[in-house]
Amino acid sequence: MPSGRYSMTPIDGGALRLDTLTGAVDRCVATDGEWACRTLPDEGRALQDEIDRLAEENAELRARAGQAGSSGPVSPESDGPAMSFHLPSEAEVDRAMSFMERILKRFKSIVQDLREDEDKGTAL
């Protein structure tokens, strides 16, 4: 006898129906002489669907990252990250160093003033 698409297994109060094509399982019960079947939640399938979705998203992100790395920054129109990196010029480095030097001299001056005030006994 050839097996059909569905396989039925008796349970208390009804039957389980297995769709051998999709793997879906339904719980079938008779109420007032009429049978009704409801699909049971398939947590394994839901988890696999989420894994598949995340794998697809991961592949898309890797493809975008590969494009950005090989051809320079991605433009905002392409819906990818618009990132670029350049080394500062010598003038920019000199300006930054000059700024830091002024900050450190000012800090040193403040520390010296605090030490002098402490020596005089007028520290905060």
Side-chain angles (χ1 to χ4, degrees):
M1 177 173 159
S3 60
R5 177 174 176 176
Y6 297 99
S7 169
M8 303 290 285
T9 304
I11 60 169
D12 287 337
L16 291 180
R17 178 177 71 178
L18 170 66
D19 184 335
T20 59
L21 184 65
T22 66
V25 177
D26 301 329
R27 182 172 190 265
C28 302
V29 294
T31 306
D32 297 328
E34 291 188 25
W35 283 89
C37 297
R38 295 188 95 124
T39 301
L40 297 175
D42 185 353
E43 293 175 6
R45 180 175 297 285
L47 289 173
Q48 187 60 51
D49 289 347
E50 181 65 5
I51 289 168
D52 294 343
R53 185 190 70 76
L54 291 171
E56 184 178 321
E57 182 180 326
N58 190 349
E60 289 172 7
L61 291 171
R62 285 180 184 270
R64 272 200 234 163
Q67 290 171 357
S70 63
S71 62
V74 176
S75 68
E77 293 82 26
S78 70
D79 202 24
M83 299 173 11
S84 64
F85 179 78
H86 71 280
L87 293 174
S89 68
E90 197 67 34
E92 290 172 320
V93 171
D94 288 343
R95 277 199 311 272
M97 294 303 289
S98 176
F99 178 73
M100 287 302 299
E101 186 178 0
R102 286 195 313 268
I103 289 174
L104 290 173
K105 283 182 179 179
R106 187 168 180 195
F107 182 74
K108 182 180 176 184
S109 174
I110 291 170
V111 170
Q112 285 175 342
D113 289 347
L114 287 172
R115 283 186 179 156
E116 288 173 7
D117 288 345
E118 189 177 273
D119 290 344
K120 293 178 187 176
T122 58
L124 297 175

